[in-house]
Amino acid sequence: MGMSPRTNESAPEKDTDPDTPAPAQEPSESAVAEGAEVIEVTEAADDGRPGKATAEDRPGDALAGGDTSADQPGTTPTAEAVGAGEPGGSASSAAATSRDRTSTAARVPGPRGTGATRPEPARRRVLSFVACAAALAVAFTGGAIALGGRDDGPGVSLSSSGGISAAQLARGDLDSTVRALQAHLKQQPRDFGSWSTLGLAYVEQARTKGDPSRYPQAEKAVERSLELRPDNDQALAARAALAAARHQFEKALKDADRALKVNPYSERALSTRIDALVELGRYDEALKAAKLADSRQPGVPVFTRYAYVHELRGDVKTARRVLKQALATSTAPGDMAYVATQLGQLAWKQGDYKTSLDYYARALAADDTYLPALEGRARAQAASGDTEDAVTGLEQVVSGYPLPGPLVVLGELYEAEGRTTEARDQYALVNAWTSIARANGVNADLDTALAAADHGDKKAALRAARAEWQRRETVHTADALAWALHVNGKDEEALPYARRATATGYQDATFLYHRGMIEYAAGDKKEARARLTAALDLNPGFSPLGAKEARRTLKALKAAEADK
């Protein structure tokens, strides 16, 4: 993206001392800028969707000091054109939104080993559990997990202020960027553009490191930017991204719209608007928003958003085609790793494990520490019957980033092998993560409802699922509520939600499995058989335990029919 570095700097105010601590109830500018001590970290994944865009002719993103300047018209074709099979140009990766590449910064240290001798099982289990618990404890402090990772891809949309080098922008070194901004704002505390950029950087640190203590810092930084320059689009877009990260999607939509009134070409606001509409279940509006963003800011992040909106509508063909074009036009390692991983996930959902593994290999060739690719590869290996390598890979993932998704899969793989004690340890860590997250103001209801339904407190799962459904009605919240109702014996109530989850055409074997099991429990054997068969036809290895249960239930249905 053609970015014209601009600043809005002035000499420090005489009454401002960046090194003087402020009272706890009202942090000074310096305190907000400094935040907690920044440690070299392994950046972790986020459950959000991607979004970044290259620039067309636009009034600018209010760089550094918030001034606007027209970028040169871009030549990147739109996703609409790509969907029609037109050739693509190169995609910029210099600036990304807070949801640019879901899990873009997620890393684990070093490539996965394949020949290491395993320790004695009991000792190994204790060490693994303690290590994961320690990682959880550290992840939610003011610091971060110091695992020596790095990020070759962009993390946030950055101003080219005097405190940030072009090299830092290009490689997207988030922690270096934060330190540079902190130092810069000590000298230039009235640079409103850098305050908004710092706020965005804190949002990214919170999301990628699992550290919600950064959110209040982000809020202070963004509000300081708005105090210095009311209604500047950078800060409004940053506040929208912060709201989305906190799962306050109505607020995110409102702030994104405000930012777009100021600057209709704000890439972050355009992207966050799509995210908010998707997460609110307003899919028709999300498609319109994606097309609008695509017309204004075509590029890799918009392509991936555009693809996901189509995937949610059951249009896998368009999603795949757009993602392939995005990969073909990607040049930065971070973009290549992200898009290849998205293609791997899409192939895995369709049961094409060989293609899935090929894409994960491409992602890891671009970045051999990219956590979503490592996790995706392990899932594909498990589905292909390579359980040993799958377990080894997931053990590596959770040792550095113990979040519910990989913990549950690893626990289910252990359980499928009869390693019930080790499985329980993983599920206990999910509960620990939930407690820590909620204590730090994170809404973890959707993230944990399904885990609790299958491996924890079923009543708590239902409470969480109902609460999330009240906030937003999406295919994912419908599925979570349906399953939570089912495990609590409320199958008749669950059925409408299970049908709602599959109504858009979104192809997810877990959704089909859940609906089939609910229909089976409700006595609709014909529909149950159809749904369970469809789930296994689509993705026969969708879950270590769920796929096994689907086969068992189908066998029982066939036996019952044979006895008639």
Side-chain angles (χ1 to χ4, degrees), residues 396-408:
Q396 181 196 5
V397 169
V398 302
S399 68
Y401 198 67
L403 285 189
L407 284 169
V408 168

Side-chain angles (χ1 to χ4, degrees), residues 145-156:
I145 306 173
L147 295 176
R150 63 181 181 83
D151 183 9
D152 287 325
V156 295

Side-chain angles (χ1 to χ4, degrees), residues 26 29 37 44 96 112 178 183 185 352 366 378 382 385 501 556 558:
E26 188 61 39
E29 294 170 2
E37 181 183 359
R112 179 176 63 85
V178 168
L185 285 165
D352 187 352
K558 291 177 182 177

Side-chain angles (χ1 to χ4, degrees), residues 21-278:
Q25 67 273 19
E26 188 61 39
S28 66
E29 294 170 2
S30 175
V32 175
E34 289 253 5
E37 181 183 359
V38 179
I39 304 172
E40 287 301 321
V41 299
T42 293
E43 298 181 359
D46 155 68
D47 57 340
R49 286 277 162 182
K52 171 183 72 82
T54 59
E56 285 188 319
D57 190 15
R58 60 190 176 87
D61 270 3
L63 307 179
D67 296 336
T68 59
S69 61
D71 285 13
Q72 294 299 317
T75 59
T76 304
T78 65
E80 192 91 11
V82 171
E86 295 182 10
S90 64
S92 167
S93 61
T97 69
S98 65
R99 296 166 67 85
D100 276 294
R101 295 194 308 272
T102 305
S103 316
T104 52
R107 313 285 177 217
V108 294
R112 179 176 63 85
T114 56
T117 302
R118 293 191 177 190
E120 187 273 327
R123 178 174 178 274
R124 177 170 164 272
R125 178 176 62 80
V126 172
L127 291 174
S128 175
F129 184 83
V130 170
C132 287
L136 277 170
V138 174
F140 288 93
T141 65
I145 306 173
L147 295 176
R150 63 181 181 83
D151 183 9
D152 287 325
V156 295
S157 180
L158 300 170
S159 306
S160 295
S161 74
I164 306 173
S165 70
Q168 284 174 314
L169 287 174
R171 71 175 180 265
D173 186 341
L174 182 59
D175 292 325
S176 294
T177 296
V178 168
R179 286 192 293 269
L181 283 164
Q182 290 169 342
H184 173 71
L185 285 165
K186 282 186 177 182
Q187 300 301 317
Q188 302 291 346
R190 297 188 64 80
D191 180 357
F192 68 87
S194 288
W195 279 111
S196 66
T197 301
L198 181 61
L200 289 169
Y202 283 148
V203 170
E204 281 303 287
Q205 286 188 323
R207 289 149 64 88
T208 61
K209 297 173 177 57
D211 181 8
S213 70
R214 293 292 185 182
Y215 289 141
Q217 292 173 296
E219 185 173 5
K220 290 286 186 182
V222 171
E223 292 305 321
R224 179 55 179 152
S225 177
L226 288 168
E227 288 173 8
L228 292 166
R229 180 68 65 87
D231 289 330
N232 77 80
D233 68 277
Q234 274 186 293
L236 290 171
R239 194 165 68 181
L242 173 60
R246 286 172 157 170
H247 290 187
Q248 299 169 356
F249 296 111
E250 291 284 3
K251 186 177 187 305
L253 182 60
K254 180 179 178 180
D255 278 330
D257 284 338
R258 286 186 63 187
L260 289 169
K261 286 182 179 179
V262 179
N263 177 9
Y265 292 86
S266 167
E267 61 183 11
R268 181 170 295 277
L270 287 166
S271 299
T272 302
R273 189 170 192 275
I274 302 170
D275 297 332
L277 290 168
V278 165

Side-chain angles (χ1 to χ4, degrees), residues 4 30 34 49 59 74 79 155 157 181 200 202 259 280 282 301 316 326 349 382 424 457 478 482 496 499:
S4 303
S30 175
E34 289 253 5
R49 286 277 162 182
S157 180
L181 283 164
L200 289 169
Y202 283 148
L280 290 168
R282 293 159 61 175
V316 174
K349 287 181 180 179
R424 283 197 296 269
D457 185 337
R499 290 168 180 157

